[in-house]
Amino acid sequence: MKAIVIEDEKLAAEELCNRIREVAPQIEIVAKAASVAEAVHIIPRTAHDLIFMDINLGDGSSFDIFSQIDISAPVIFITAYDEYALKAFKHQGVGYILKPFENEELIQAIAKLDLLKSDNNTPSSKREDIPNPVETAANSTNNHTTSYQNRFLVYYGQRMRSITTAEIAFFVADGKYVMLWTHDGNSYLIDQTITSLTSRLSPDLFYRINRKFIVSYQAIGEMVRYSNNRIKISLKPTVPEGEDAIVSADRVQGFRAWLNK
């Protein structure tokens, strides 16, 4: 795998390159850029699979690069500022690491690339299908090695928090990023995909109602019949503005069975 590093501070760039070589020797750093102008020149002319990108550069923001050239490779953003996270994930971001960071954070961001590749290599018709929760639970009974994630480590600013599944109301995807919402109305960006979450969560507690939402049973309020045999759900807390929690037509039967088990 070939990577480009964009960092305007020389020592920081050298340290990042060394740490990449340490935790991911399969990654070859083929080019470095220290400014928006250099990046705009280098990226289209250098074969690469991945970009490590600081956000605040000497001659502007790294987001200025996207307005000048097309970038198709995944980007891992490494910055001292937490306010750009959502914007980063709308600009090819697959990872958002806050400085100073530990090697484990770098390892997790790089590991996500393999997960995304697996999702992309799965036919879309298969990728969107979710096993019936009742069947999944039955299979789990017969497979004693199956375990589900009980806690999620989230970051906000320089702080971190471990959130239990009992605190989670729902997950909602928007493009390449996923937000975790708690019952008390707080939301956190997490470094996972909706597809990967499906297999990590207990089917007794959570159900994926459509391509964007995974909901907790405890968060479900009123349910009403909706057009095309779908079901519209009122969630607690209220879903983000512009979003609707609607059970897609192909999942309604499984959702009803899940509610009635």
Side-chain angles (χ1 to χ4, degrees):
M1 180 182 293
K2 297 181 179 180
I4 296 174
V5 170
I6 301 173
E7 167 64 69
D8 63 338
E9 296 183 10
K10 184 176 180 181
L11 290 179
E14 291 179 357
E15 179 184 2
L16 175 58
C17 291
N18 288 335
R19 293 174 76 169
I20 293 170
R21 296 185 185 103
E22 178 183 348
V23 304
Q26 75 276 16
I27 296 178
E28 177 188 3
I29 299 167
V30 294
K32 291 185 284 186
S35 66
V36 172
E38 284 186 13
V40 168
H41 177 77
I42 289 174
I43 291 174
R45 295 169 175 79
T46 306
H48 62 283
D49 308 293
L50 170 66
I51 301 175
F52 293 90
M53 186 179 289
D54 190 8
I55 290 181
N56 289 326
L57 304 173
D59 59 344
S61 164
S62 62
F63 298 119
D64 296 332
I65 301 169
F66 292 86
S67 65
Q68 299 181 52
I69 59 173
D70 291 329
I71 296 180
S72 58
V75 178
I76 294 175
F77 290 90
I78 301 176
T79 178
Y81 304 91
D82 65 345
E83 62 262 36
Y84 302 110
L86 295 183
K87 190 173 183 179
F89 280 90
K90 291 183 178 180
H91 288 78
Q92 295 297 112
V94 297
Y96 193 89
I97 301 175
L98 287 174
K99 301 176 181 177
F101 61 90
E102 302 294 332
N103 281 357
E104 182 61 29
E105 296 173 71
L106 188 60
I107 292 171
Q108 290 178 358
I110 294 171
K112 187 177 179 183
L113 293 172
D114 294 330
L115 177 61
L116 292 174
K117 286 180 179 179
S118 297
D119 283 349
N120 290 335
N121 288 334
T122 302
S124 58
S125 60
K126 295 294 185 181
R127 188 165 61 244
E128 296 303 329
D129 288 341
I130 306 296
N132 185 306
V134 178
E135 294 177 354
T136 303
N139 291 338
S140 299
T141 301
N142 295 326
N143 183 2
H144 298 291
T145 62
T146 300
S147 61
Y148 300 107
Q149 190 163 340
N150 295 314
R151 293 179 294 275
F152 288 80
L153 183 63
V154 299
Y155 298 88
Y156 52 109
Q158 297 296 324
R159 305 173 185 175
M160 65 180 75
R161 177 186 170 191
S162 182
I163 297 176
T164 66
T165 51
E167 299 175 78
I168 299 171
F170 57 85
F171 300 87
V172 58
D174 186 356
K176 292 188 175 181
Y177 62 89
V178 174
M179 300 298 296
L180 178 159
W181 284 76
T182 56
H183 291 292
D184 57 9
N186 292 317
S187 62
Y188 305 90
L189 183 71
I190 62 171
D191 193 23
Q192 295 194 42
T193 66
I194 281 289
T195 302
S196 68
L197 284 170
T198 303
S199 60
R200 292 174 180 266
L201 297 166
S202 169
D204 288 331
L205 305 176
F206 294 90
Y207 195 92
R208 184 176 177 182
I209 62 171
N210 56 37
R211 295 175 60 190
K212 301 181 70 172
F213 274 90
I214 295 177
V215 303
S216 163
Y217 176 80
Q218 297 297 331
I220 297 175
E222 183 181 35
M223 294 179 284
V224 296
R225 293 178 180 177
Y226 200 62
S227 62
N228 297 323
N229 296 318
R230 295 175 294 169
I231 299 173
K232 187 172 184 178
I233 303 173
S234 294
L235 293 175
K236 304 173 185 179
T238 305
V239 301
E241 185 177 353
E243 300 284 0
D244 287 311
I246 298 174
V247 184
S248 59
D250 61 323
R251 298 169 193 257
V252 167
Q253 183 177 357
F255 180 67
R256 290 178 185 273
W258 179 67
L259 292 175
N260 200 40
K261 58 186 294 189

